[in-house]
Amino acid sequence: MNVDRRTFLRGAACAPLALSLGRGGAWLPGGDERCLLVLELVGGNDGLNTVIPVDDADYARLRPKLGAVRRGARALGDGTSLHPSLARLHGHIAAGRGAVVHGVGYAPPDRSHFRSRDIWHVGDPAHQQVGATTTGWLGRAAEQLVAAAGGAGNGLPAAAIGGLEVPLLLHSRRVPVPSLVRVEDFQWLSPGARGPIAADAPSRHVVGAGGAGELLAAVRAAQTAGVELADGLTAALQRYTPKADYPDDDLGRHLQLIARLLVAGVGTRLLHTSFGGFDTHARQLPTHAGLLRQLDAGLGALLDDLAGHGCLDRVGVLVHSEFGRRAAENASQGSDHGAAGPVFVFGGGVQGGTFGQKPDLSRLVDGDVPPTCDFRRVYAELLGRLGVPVEPVLGEGFEPIGLW
Amino acid sequence: MNPLAPYEPSARDPFDLRKCGHLLRRAGFGASLPERQRLVREGLAAALQHVAPPLAEVPAADALLNEAIAFGSIERVRAFRVWLALQNTHPLRERLSYFWHGHFATSNSKVQDPRAMALMMATFDRLGTGRFDELLTAMLRDPALLRWLDNDVNTSKQPNENLAREVFELFALGRGNYSERDIKEAARALTGWHVRDGQFFRAGYLHDDGDKEVLGVRGKLDGDDVAAIAAARPESARFLAERWLRFFVHPQPERDEIDALAGAYEQHGRDVGATLRVLLGSRLFFSARAYRSKIKSPADFVIGSVRLIGGRAQPTALVAAMATLGETWLEPPSVEGWHGELAWLSPAAWLLRSNFVADLLAGRRGKLAPRAAELLRGYTRPDHLARAASLFCCDGDLSADASERLLEVARAAQGDRAATVLHAATCLPEYQLL
């Protein structure tokens, strides 16, 4: 059967097996557990204009117009500099709370956004067809966390923040993963009286109802988990007061919701959110600078907020994109789909600075910076930090980089 | 056996409320119970005629389109589109325009031109039930699409491949049916296909008029040629057939089904409307495999619930409700459109759907007139209430377990019992399926 992942059942995340939600507020207290946020820059962030190889003689030649970002860029100490929009994140790196890993990707590169995102999400460049049973690397990590907890108790080990779709990387065959947009949305409302449906309301009879079949079972699992979520989340989130000012945009709101979940310690340990618009084929400079400014403000606030609550030490943040962009700028003052790019890792205890081989623009492969670090090595590093065994999630042979 | 053999109702396999509901949900945006009951009485042929009447008989909404455009806001255009779907005067056309919007997924977030977006949707209304090559040709000249995929900076000196790649990958052929070289050549053919003053503009001085070779066809090709060449490929028939089967029938079509529909498409002169009429009248379409095999999209859920329950809903309020559920028309998340199916139904999204119906029934947020309880007025016995809610919301087709639980709700409900029971019926898993 020819399966196209674009419209395929993506519901492995809601699959019915072993729906092991605790009853009656059995949320893990959290508190000392390590957590991971994956912040995905969607569209193919221009790595060479984010972590800029300012010392590379070929940079100016390849990017006569886009190279203007060098002015005001902040040095990272290895001949590369951070885009001028990223002042706050540069501060976190300089203070030893953030790392840059150069040249992360996979070979050979795939220049389709969709295919390359799938590869990053599944965690396997050889994986061909995404289908109903395809799982994502973070979804598999969630399975490991639930298994380690004895398969019970934790209401919400993983969550997708900011959209209603659960992205592929959080798909699991065994753990239901919700998506969240605003905390206020998560009461289960009654059609009669104002306010939520009471714990003893007759409508509760329909929770878990319905006929046989895989699809109905998946819907039923989503319903059961949704009601569970509504009942438990609101109370848990009361425990948070912000310690940083978040920007008034979608990314800022999503990151603040993430902070609320992390600070409240609802037991949610794996999170994903995405931030789009990085497909800068034309007139890139102002667009890209604006996007990075938003990223800097939002992520900077999150890191400060978590630090203010004393929980940055247990949080790791990975910032990546599905690919970098071609080394040479295009003729539309933009850049086209490329291959490897830098990733950022933030968090307490991380070794600050830059890791891996910085891009060498005299040694391009097919016009691209080739990958010098397999993306799964970064994943392995993060899984190790979480205490999740690497092999069941990624397979064998991915040496950590030594960020911690 | 040919999966597209016509479905012939019989005493053993009648055209009933279940099949009628299925047809109206898949080839439109659903319908009220009295309308469904009327079509069951009139029979399959009348129901098929109802979902796909001759276009000439459908009154045009040009005045409202122009008004939406004159207003200059994308919200107004969205509301107009939701209004059209709510009216559902030509269910299949409304449905197909929704399909094509997901197919040629273009977002105003980049286009930034409500007029161009409105006109693109109007092009789907006008050409979406006709021949695909004509639609593709029109789309490659569509100002919104040209801007969305950067073709307004594609010039002979500086070719940009974005549009050419998506023509092959997402619009006409699918991955594996073209080469990187075809993309480069098609990009050259599309040079100079620009937008000026909001109109398609063929910038001859920016067009590469040299020889090209696209998918084995050589010549001084231009954008119209790219559309014609791509649409004429046999792979295109199978590509579109698979898309239609996924959209109208089942998310996982089988090879023989794809082959059969691609064959019907060729037989019917590559006419989309004629092909889909064959599909909608087929045994496959009415099979148990197709029934309730898909998840309602937010549009299906929101617009369908209003068409089912009634009430004077403001289109702008419905636009907002759909956005909360993850679907903002004229702003798909990417050029690949919406993922659909179970991706729509995370636990949180389920909760929001349930809350939408609760608000709709209660007439809350000042956006929806409370009328719902009237629907079940006259039903007082719990078993009658539960049965009526099942007919309204779930084609009267529920498992024993679901029926029993709905009955428990009806027995225990207090206050506005009708609203409570209807809400409970829309919370059942069956109601989430299309």
Side-chain angles (χ1 to χ4, degrees):
Chain A
M1 184 174 65
N2 178 21
V3 175
D4 180 298
R5 66 176 191 15
R6 282 182 216 288
T7 46
F8 202 87
L9 287 170
R10 284 214 163 200
C14 307
L17 303 169
L19 180 68
S20 54
L21 296 182
R23 281 275 146 212
W27 304 76
L28 283 189
D32 56 351
E33 293 162 320
R34 290 176 178 166
C35 306
L36 170 64
L37 164 65
V38 176
L39 169 51
E40 184 182 9
L41 309 179
V42 179
N45 177 40
D46 187 3
L48 288 171
N49 265 24
T50 305
V51 177
I52 309 159
V54 287
D55 281 4
D56 194 312
D58 290 306
Y59 178 78
R61 178 179 60 79
L62 289 162
R63 301 196 152 199
K65 293 205 171 76
L66 298 189
V69 288
R70 278 171 300 174
R71 283 189 293 279
R74 290 174 175 78
L76 288 168
D78 68 344
T80 62
S81 292
L82 218 51
H83 188 287
S85 288
L86 297 176
R88 209 160 160 182
L89 295 182
H90 185 266
H92 282 287
I93 294 169
R97 292 187 294 268
V100 173
V101 185
H102 292 300
V104 181
Y106 57 88
D110 195 301
R111 294 183 210 286
S112 157
H113 292 292
F114 321 116
R115 173 89 186 116
S116 195
R117 278 192 78 189
D118 284 350
I119 288 169
W120 278 83
H121 281 211
V122 172
D124 180 7
H127 187 88
Q128 281 301 319
Q129 298 281 7
V130 172
T133 55
T134 305
T135 57
W137 76 280
L138 225 48
R140 296 191 296 273
E143 292 170 8
Q144 293 296 316
L145 287 177
V146 169
N154 193 336
L156 199 62
I161 305 297
L164 285 158
E165 287 190 12
V166 176
L168 180 58
L169 90 163
L170 280 166
H171 283 203
S172 155
R173 261 173 279 174
R174 296 200 284 276
V175 179
V177 176
S179 56
L180 301 167
V181 184
R182 291 182 307 162
V183 172
E184 296 74 26
D185 292 331
F186 302 104
Q187 290 184 313
W188 188 27
L189 297 178
S190 149
R194 282 173 193 277
I197 289 177
D200 57 352
S203 304
R204 296 267 167 179
H205 287 300
V206 295
V207 178
E214 211 175 306
L215 196 56
L216 283 170
V219 174
R220 192 155 49 233
Q223 179 197 28
T224 309
V227 171
E228 188 82 17
L229 179 69
D231 290 348
L233 197 56
T234 313
L237 290 171
Q238 303 300 330
R239 298 196 277 272
Y240 164 85
T241 48
K243 304 221 186 247
D245 287 332
Y246 287 85
D248 184 22
D249 55 27
D250 281 345
L251 179 66
R253 279 184 283 277
H254 300 156
L255 290 174
Q256 186 167 21
L257 177 53
I258 286 163
R260 294 180 75 171
L261 289 166
L262 292 173
V263 171
V266 294
T268 303
R269 297 183 56 191
L270 307 172
L271 295 149
H272 171 271
T273 194
S274 61
F275 177 43
F278 286 87
D279 197 13
T280 49
H281 284 282
R283 302 181 279 265
Q284 170 179 315
L285 281 177
T287 311
H288 194 238
L291 289 167
L292 293 185
R293 207 156 37 236
Q294 270 184 282
L295 174 69
D296 193 63
L299 184 52
L302 175 76
L303 297 173
D304 290 345
D305 196 11
L306 292 175
H309 282 94
C311 40
L312 188 57
D313 280 348
R314 61 183 172 87
V315 178
V317 180
L318 168 66
V319 184
H320 78 83
S321 190
E322 70 265 34
F323 41 60
R325 304 189 80 83
R326 294 246 166 107
E329 67 186 34
N330 68 19
S332 317
Q333 296 166 49
S335 53
D336 296 322
H337 302 182
V343 307
F344 294 98
V345 177
F346 294 96
V350 76
Q351 306 280 323
T354 58
F355 290 79
Q357 293 174 38
K358 66 176 181 177
D360 179 352
L361 300 182
S362 67
R363 297 175 157 209
L364 298 177
V365 175
D366 197 16
D368 279 317
V369 178
T372 48
C373 174
D374 190 290
F375 69 112
R376 289 164 293 181
R377 289 186 61 201
V378 179
Y379 288 177
E381 181 85 33
L382 295 163
L383 291 170
R385 174 76 179 165
L386 287 165
V388 169
V390 174
E391 204 191 310
V393 176
L394 298 174
E396 284 180 55
F398 302 108
E399 289 299 310
I401 300 158
L403 300 179
W404 272 281
Chain B
M1 178 203 272
N2 179 5
L4 295 181
Y7 159 59
E8 282 158 8
S10 63
R12 272 189 55 212
D13 188 17
F15 181 68
D16 53 11
L17 209 52
R18 189 173 177 272
K19 289 196 166 63
C20 186
H22 175 69
L23 176 66
L24 289 166
R25 285 190 297 273
R26 295 288 179 95
F29 284 92
S32 68
L33 182 60
E35 190 170 11
R36 281 178 280 147
Q37 285 169 328
R38 175 178 64 81
L39 290 169
V40 168
R41 279 196 304 277
E42 292 176 4
L44 173 65
L48 287 170
Q49 182 73 14
H50 169 84
V51 297
L55 272 181
E57 291 175 13
V58 177
D62 290 348
L64 281 164
L65 169 67
N66 290 329
E67 193 188 310
I69 288 173
F71 213 77
S73 103
I74 195 69
E75 282 302 314
R76 188 64 173 256
V77 176
R78 260 184 213 123
F80 170 65
R81 295 307 309 182
V82 167
W83 178 85
L84 276 180
L86 270 178
Q87 300 308 305
N88 234 219
T89 47
H90 190 301
L92 181 61
R93 184 187 64 181
E94 271 45 291
R95 195 80 196 161
L96 264 172
S97 291
Y98 179 39
F99 170 84
W100 292 122
H101 178 35
H103 189 86
F104 292 99
T106 299
S107 172
N108 189 60
S109 65
K110 176 165 170 182
V111 175
Q112 293 289 321
D113 184 348
R115 176 178 174 275
M117 297 303 297
L119 292 175
M120 178 188 224
M121 296 304 298
T123 301
F124 295 146
D125 293 344
R126 195 162 43 86
L127 301 177
T129 55
R131 286 175 52 99
F132 178 70
D133 55 355
E134 290 177 14
L135 178 64
L136 187 62
T137 303
M139 290 320 293
L140 297 194
R141 291 168 165 253
D142 184 87
L145 190 76
L146 292 174
R147 187 151 292 158
W148 169 236
L149 293 175
D150 297 314
N151 209 65
D152 56 344
V153 294
N154 183 16
T155 64
S156 53
K157 283 217 175 97
Q158 300 156 2
N160 185 305
E161 297 172 2
N162 208 7
L163 175 61
R165 181 179 299 280
E166 304 307 12
V167 168
F168 295 143
E169 182 180 342
L170 297 175
F171 302 157
L173 297 174
R175 282 172 71 88
N177 293 319
Y178 53 88
S179 69
E180 287 291 318
R181 187 164 170 275
D182 290 320
I183 290 176
K184 283 201 160 51
E185 295 283 292
R188 288 178 57 215
L190 285 160
T191 50
W193 283 49
H194 286 192
V195 180
R196 181 182 281 181
D197 300 331
Q199 309 276 349
F200 171 69
F201 174 67
R202 195 179 169 142
Y205 57 102
L206 299 172
H207 178 71
D208 177 344
D209 59 1
D211 277 324
K212 300 125 196 149
E213 182 177 339
V214 174
L215 297 163
V217 180
R218 280 171 179 244
K220 295 188 187 301
L221 307 176
D222 66 12
D224 288 346
D225 296 319
V226 170
I229 292 165
R233 301 286 290 181
E235 294 86 354
S236 179
R238 298 194 82 259
F239 173 75
L240 291 170
E242 189 173 354
R243 290 294 181 100
W244 290 325
L245 285 164
R246 279 207 202 108
F247 187 79
F248 287 100
V249 181
H250 190 285
Q252 292 152 274
E254 300 287 350
R255 179 178 287 274
D256 65 323
E257 295 163 357
I258 297 167
D259 290 340
L261 190 60
Y265 174 65
E266 308 265 21
Q267 269 167 28
H268 286 84
R270 304 198 148 217
D271 184 277
V272 177
T275 307
L276 292 179
R277 279 186 184 85
V278 172
L279 180 65
L280 296 176
S282 69
R283 284 189 207 193
L284 171 65
F285 179 76
F286 287 105
S287 64
R289 194 171 116 72
Y291 184 68
R292 285 186 183 160
S293 63
K294 289 173 62 69
I295 298 280
K296 283 178 181 163
S297 69
D300 293 324
F301 190 90
V302 168
I303 296 168
S305 295
V306 174
R307 284 182 53 78
L308 193 78
I309 292 172
R312 286 184 299 279
Q314 289 293 331
T316 46
L318 302 184
V319 167
M322 281 167 53
T324 319
L325 292 171
E327 184 173 4
T328 304
W329 280 0
L330 313 181
E331 210 170 308
S334 78
V335 66
E336 62 178 332
W338 290 275
H339 290 128
E341 301 309 333
L342 272 172
W344 287 128
L345 211 64
S346 66
W350 178 84
L351 203 59
L352 293 169
R353 286 180 177 210
S354 172
N355 289 347
F356 169 76
V357 178
D359 285 343
L360 181 68
L361 287 166
R364 265 199 296 259
R365 302 192 194 178
K367 60 184 185 185
L368 303 161
R371 213 210 96 187
E374 289 172 24
L375 293 173
L376 299 190
R377 185 155 290 166
Y379 296 95
T380 46
R381 276 174 47 180
D383 56 334
H384 289 176
L385 268 177
R387 177 68 187 157
S390 164
L391 285 171
F392 262 92
C393 303
C394 302
D395 300 343
D397 182 335
L398 286 177
S399 67
D401 176 54
S403 298
E404 181 55 38
R405 285 163 182 256
L406 200 54
L407 185 57
E408 284 174 31
V409 174
R411 284 200 189 108
Q414 314 226 326
D416 190 344
R417 296 160 67 216
T420 302
V421 174
L422 271 181
H423 181 246
T426 65
C427 288
L428 289 169
E430 282 81 354
Y431 188 72
Q432 318 307 315
L433 303 188
L434 184 68

